[in-house]
Structures are given as C-alpha cells and as structure tokens.
Amino acid sequence: MPFPAGVQTVTLTGHQTLADGAGNPVPVRIRPVPGRVVSAEHDVVVDNDPVVVTPDAAGHWSRVLVATDAAGFTPTGWTYRVETGDDAQYVSLPAALGTVDIADLTPGGADDGLFAGDVDGQVLCWDNQHGGGAVRADGIGVSPAVVGEYALPD
C-alpha cells in the first residue's frame, strides 16, 4: 500500500544468497523500534506488526518504508529492525538516502551498531532523552542515540 502524498519514504533493498550462490528464499521481516511510530498529520501508523518481504528467485528484495526522520512522525530518533531468519540488524533510514541497499548500512564489526544486549538478553540502546545511559530499547519514551560513540560496561 503506498503512503499518502507528503510522507517521506526510503526504498530499502537487499540481496540474499545461499552458500552455493542461489537466491535465499527466507522472508525478510521489517518492524519499527520502538514498536509504534505515528503521524496524526498524515494519518499513518507504522506498527510493530512486521512488514514481510519475500525475496525473488535470485534472492533480491525491495520495500518502500517511511523514512526514520520523516517530518510529522513521533517519536523521533527511531530505527527499523530488519530480520532475516535468526539474524537481525537495526538501521536508520533518513529520507536523504532515497534508495539504499541494506549491505551499505550493515555495521562493519562487532563493536559497531545502535543497540547492544545485556547478560539477560535484553536489547539496550544509549538513551539521549533521559540524561544519557544504556537503557532497555523497548522502554517507553526511549530516544536512542544514532550519532556518536558510547562505551558500555563489560
């Protein structure tokens, strides 16, 4: 379903292959973090129900999504969780990207990324809203930092 006129969007693309080079048919699931992003101005809700994208036979997929910095949406500072099988990545999709391949957004190493996990398996992020610090990413009112470097305790 297309978004109403005036909603800033980004087209996220990807390509999945198996070890033998064949296309990977595993569906891609995309959901916002936090679980609900709303624009009363555009009458749009991006909800926690995942958008499921099925790759074509070659493993290519594409989906138009609301830009994470789209005007008129709250909360601000949100991201998308992109899941493929048991793997997940958190990505920010500002409108300026237009069309972008997820491979160009993938963190470069184990110490890169917007989110971390604690010893109990809870997803954490650095919260800018409440004076800074690592907090549960699914908390109400959390404003994840998307720029900067932050050190978490080991």
Side-chain angles (χ1 to χ4, degrees), residues 26-94:
V26 173
V28 177
R29 298 165 56 92
I30 306 168
R31 66 180 79 223
V33 175
R36 182 179 212 117
V37 180
V38 179
S39 173
E41 173 185 343
H42 299 292
D43 196 28
V44 172
V45 175
V46 181
D47 215 341
N48 196 36
D49 292 333
V51 171
V52 179
V53 184
T54 302
D56 65 16
H60 295 277
W61 57 270
S62 177
R63 185 62 179 216
V64 176
L65 301 165
V66 173
T68 55
D69 63 348
F73 283 80
T74 58
T76 59
W78 57 284
T79 61
Y80 282 103
R81 177 182 167 98
V82 181
E83 304 166 358
T84 306
D86 292 332
D87 296 325
Q89 301 172 52
Y90 293 86
V91 296
S92 181
L93 299 174

Side-chain angles (χ1 to χ4, degrees), residues 52-154:
V52 179
V53 184
T54 302
D56 65 16
H60 295 277
W61 57 270
S62 177
R63 185 62 179 216
V64 176
L65 301 165
V66 173
T68 55
D69 63 348
F73 283 80
T74 58
T76 59
W78 57 284
T79 61
Y80 282 103
R81 177 182 167 98
V82 181
E83 304 166 358
T84 306
D86 292 332
D87 296 325
Q89 301 172 52
Y90 293 86
V91 296
S92 181
L93 299 174
L97 292 175
T99 297
V100 63
D101 191 291
I102 194 161
D104 295 332
L105 302 173
T106 304
D111 60 344
D112 291 334
L114 298 175
F115 295 84
D118 68 9
V119 295
D120 297 321
Q122 299 296 318
V123 178
L124 304 175
C125 67
W126 196 266
D127 182 36
N128 282 335
Q129 188 74 20
H130 303 97
V135 299
R136 286 183 52 162
D138 62 353
I140 296 173
V142 171
S143 177
V146 294
V147 177
E149 292 187 19
Y150 305 93
L152 299 174
D154 287 333

